[in-house]
Each structure stands twice: as C-alpha cells, then as structure tokens.
Amino acid sequence: MRISSEDDREREALRTVGVEEELLLVDPRTGRPAPAVELVLAAAASADVAALVPEAAQITHLERESKREQLEVISIPHTTLDDLAQSVAAGRKLADVAAQQLGLRAAAMATSATAGTTHLTVAGRYTDMEDRFQNLMREQLTCGLHVHVGVSDDREGVAVLDRIRPWLPLVLALSANSPMWNGADSGYASQRYQVWSRWPTAGPYDTFGSPANYHRAVDELLATDVLVDDGMIYFDARLSARYPTIEVRVADVCLDAAHSVAIAGIIRALVDTAAHEWRAGFSPDPLPTPVLRLAMWSASRHGVTGPLLNPILGQPSDPDVAVDALLAHIAPALAASGDLGRVTAMIEDVFANGTGAERQRRALRTRRSARALVEEAIERTHRSIGPTSTVRDPLPI
C-alpha cells in the first residue's frame, strides 16, 4: 500500500477546522484581570455592539468560561484558513468592543501578567469542580487555543489521535504565550501548560488502537468518580463529545490572530497526514507516554528557545531542526490545502521575532511594568482588526 500523493490530496474535500480562543478581560489602567464576563456577554448581545461589529454575525460567538475574568470566542467551522481568519478577527473584535463598553479590554494572553484573586463563574458544573478540586480550581486562570478538525467517524478520529501524539509538543512550543504567573516571570514559555497539567486527566495519552479502546479508557476514568463529568477528559487531544471532530487542546492562545490561524492550519495538516498514514497501513509511532510527557514539559519550558523532541530522530534537537521536521512531515497536506505559505510565514516570524512568551518578556524588560506589558499585549491582540471604539472609564465591578 502507499501513502496518497499530493495530487490525490488535491482532489479531496478540505476538512473543516474551527477554533475556540480563550481571552482575558483586563482593566487597561491597572493591567489586572476583571471579573466581568456576564456584563461583557450582555454588552455583546446588545444592538449597539452588533452594529459596531456586523461582520461577527453568523461566523463567531462568545461564551463564558470557568472564570469571570475570561471568555471564549468560538468560530464556526470553515474549510479555508482565509475564512477562519475572518472569524478569528471578528471574534476578537466583538469581545473587545463589548469589553470596551465597560472600560475594559480583551487580551490574548494565556496567563495574567498580574497577581490577583480569580472569581468562579456561577454555574453548577464549575461549583462542583471547585468543591471537589479546591485550590486547583481556584488557581486556574489560563487561556488556551482549542482547534477542532473534522473527521469522518470515530475510527478515523482515534487513528488520528494515535498518530499525531509525537508532534503535539512542537505545536505547544510554537504557540507558547504565557511566561507570567502571579505577577512575575515563571521561567516557562508556557506556564499555562504547567498549570493546566495539574488536572488529573490532563496531558499526553497512550495510543488507543480502536474506538472501543478509547471509549473504554474514558469510561474507566469516569468510573473512578474523581471527575465531575466527561468534559473533564482533558487529554492533549480527544474526540469531541459534541461534534464530528477531534479537538487538539495543547496550544496557548496566541498574541497574534495570524498565529492562531496558522496553528489551526498546522493541526489540520497533522490530522490529514495522520489519516493518510492510517489508510496506507502505517502504524503509529510507539513513543512511550512518559517520554512524550517530558517532551511536552520541554516545549512548555523553552518554547522555541531550547531543545525540543524531534519525532523523526527520536531525540532532542535544536528547535529549528525539530520544527523543520514538523514542516517536512505536513508539507504535502499544507500544499494541498493552499496553506503552506501561511504556515511557513508564521514559523519564520516566530523564529525571527519570538513566540508570544518572548514578546511578553521583551515588553516587560523594555517597559518595566506588568501594566505596560498588558497594554502592548492588547495592541498585538487587535493589531490586524483596525480601529476600535473609544475606551470608557471602567465601571465598578
């Protein structure tokens, strides 16, 4: 058997891809997160905000998350990254314009630059999680980028999950955008991943081999009665419980909208490549999960400034060598979807100018305050969106 050629791929329909971006709500005067999600969602639903962001209708919407200091921006599924880019831009603008009605801003930062108390969203599920997990839930204020890619069924979905495992640390490294924790530099490029990994099911997973084995593994975890519900199956990638997709959950939310879109393109290409390998009869890489866990730690620690696991060589490599291996692995799929130039440009930008983590650190060194770092992050979050409405004085929250 053979892996399909690039010509074969060009004749196939593009898989759908959609994203969920978690954004921080911040007070621009102090740089602190603001517990105002209910007010921001109400503003977003108003006629005034809808008139300011008409492009958001039908292609994106906002939802609350576990903490009142954040919200989730959800795109509809698209087949082209151009269309996805419009959804991401519109979603960020909608969130920010709504926040500005309260004198706040929406920032694509995966952790807060300042220390402070977080506030739980009022919902039965989140209350149950806090009752059960205590300080673990109270400390969680992290913002990720979740990417959904369409699959034909659970057989293809599990085959993909088994084959993308070794490449996920490189996705985390390229997206790293959370150096700050409790008002100081954590020393990690993705402190978000470190905090998120405290959840008992979070992180790398073993290969499953079949849908039956996947669902059996999930059922065994739920049978322990540790988890509140199946939404707490926090594998780095999983079958979606609601959509015919796999959901890849390793990435930090990216400062630049263009980077979020390119990360989605990388993940779709990984899914395409894995599906072709499965249909061609190629077995998954048997990389042990403990080794993969260390590879994820290294990506979280360094981003693209230190050694990363090269899945081709099975050993640590310089980051540019490891990322080149990723690009070579998915290049045929990227070329077939027309996304090779966009993804290559993002990777070149990351190596030339840094990940979001490096940009945040540079802003902190240059401007010498967390508040100034947040100001710069807000500007980068909305750089491609254009003019926004006038910021009002913050309301009491």
Side-chain angles (χ1 to χ4, degrees):
M1 300 181 74
R2 66 182 179 88
I3 296 179
S4 301
S5 70
E6 187 173 316
D7 288 342
D8 293 332
R9 296 174 193 230
E10 288 174 350
R11 288 191 291 269
E12 296 175 359
L14 293 177
R15 294 178 188 272
T16 59
V17 58
V19 302
E20 300 162 358
E21 287 195 303
E22 295 166 341
L23 304 179
L24 280 181
L25 298 172
V26 296
D27 182 337
R29 301 182 306 174
T30 64
R32 294 175 183 166
V37 66
E38 298 89 354
L39 296 174
V40 171
L41 290 176
S46 71
D48 288 347
V49 169
L52 290 169
V53 198
E55 65 271 29
Q58 309 303 317
I59 63 172
T60 189
H61 70 280
L62 310 182
E63 289 188 2
R64 69 189 64 204
E65 254 298 333
S66 62
K67 294 300 175 70
R68 296 179 60 222
E69 292 84 358
Q70 65 186 156
L71 54 71
E72 188 170 54
V73 185
I74 303 174
S75 80
I76 66 169
H78 295 285
T79 56
T80 73
L81 293 192
D82 284 345
D83 288 342
L84 180 63
Q86 292 181 21
S87 279
V88 170
R92 288 186 176 205
K93 184 176 180 182
L94 177 63
D96 195 50
V97 170
Q100 287 186 62
Q101 308 312 300
L102 309 172
L104 305 175
R105 302 297 300 271
M109 302 169 65
T111 54
S112 172
T114 62
T117 303
T118 67
H119 300 79
L120 194 70
T121 298
V122 179
R125 178 175 185 264
Y126 296 138
T127 302
D128 290 346
M129 289 174 66
E130 184 177 47
D131 287 344
R132 186 166 302 186
F133 293 99
Q134 295 292 304
N135 201 48
L136 174 56
M137 183 63 168
R138 288 190 285 271
E139 286 188 348
Q140 290 286 334
L141 181 58
T142 61
C143 294
L145 168 67
H146 302 161
V147 179
H148 286 262
V149 179
V151 291
S152 58
D153 54 30
D154 280 4
R155 284 185 69 235
E156 183 179 62
V158 171
V160 165
L161 292 178
D162 286 353
R163 287 162 177 79
I164 64 174
R165 299 165 65 247
W167 302 100
L168 296 182
L170 300 176
V171 174
L172 172 60
L174 288 167
S175 71
N177 183 35
S178 49
M180 303 294 290
W181 190 248
N182 286 330
D185 191 329
S186 68
Y188 285 81
S190 178
Q191 175 67 10
R192 177 203 65 86
Y193 191 81
Q194 293 299 310
V195 175
W196 182 254
S197 295
R198 298 174 190 172
W199 291 111
T201 61
Y205 50 89
D206 296 336
T207 55
F208 298 107
S210 71
N213 290 341
Y214 176 91
H215 292 296
R216 185 179 302 114
V218 169
D219 289 343
E220 288 172 352
L221 292 173
L222 293 173
T224 66
D225 202 30
V226 171
L227 309 179
V228 168
D229 54 32
D230 60 3
M232 290 191 68
I233 301 298
Y234 290 146
F235 302 153
D236 283 342
R238 66 186 184 184
L239 297 181
S240 172
R242 294 188 293 172
Y243 309 112
T245 67
I246 68 158
E247 181 185 8
V248 178
R249 304 167 55 82
V250 296
D252 283 6
V253 69
C254 299
L255 267 180
D256 291 287
H259 287 203
S260 285
V261 175
I263 291 290
I266 288 172
I267 290 170
R268 179 168 66 175
L270 282 170
V271 172
D272 270 332
T273 303
H276 280 281
E277 290 177 339
W278 168 59
R279 289 196 293 270
F282 286 76
S283 298
D285 187 327
L287 185 69
T289 300
V291 173
L292 185 54
R293 188 173 297 278
L294 294 180
M296 295 299 295
W297 180 90
S298 189
S300 172
R301 170 67 175 85
H302 301 295
V304 297
T305 66
L308 296 170
L309 182 72
N310 185 324
I312 300 298
L313 301 178
Q315 61 188 32
S317 295
D318 289 341
D320 57 333
V321 175
V323 173
D324 281 348
L326 167 66
L327 192 56
H329 176 68
I330 60 176
L334 291 173
S337 63
D339 299 331
L340 183 59
R342 186 190 296 266
V343 168
T344 301
M346 183 275 283
I347 290 172
E348 290 174 349
D349 183 45
V350 165
F351 279 97
N353 300 303
T355 61
E358 293 168 76
R359 293 177 190 270
Q360 287 193 47
R361 286 182 170 131
R362 198 155 55 235
L364 187 62
R365 287 194 303 268
T366 302
R367 304 182 66 180
R368 299 184 180 279
S369 78
R371 183 185 62 79
L373 183 161
V374 173
E375 288 177 351
E376 188 158 329
I378 291 168
E379 191 275 329
R380 291 205 68 89
T381 299
H382 305 289
R383 176 167 291 186
S384 63
I385 293 176
T388 55
S389 57
T390 302
V391 179
R392 302 178 183 177
D393 290 335
L395 298 177
I397 296 169

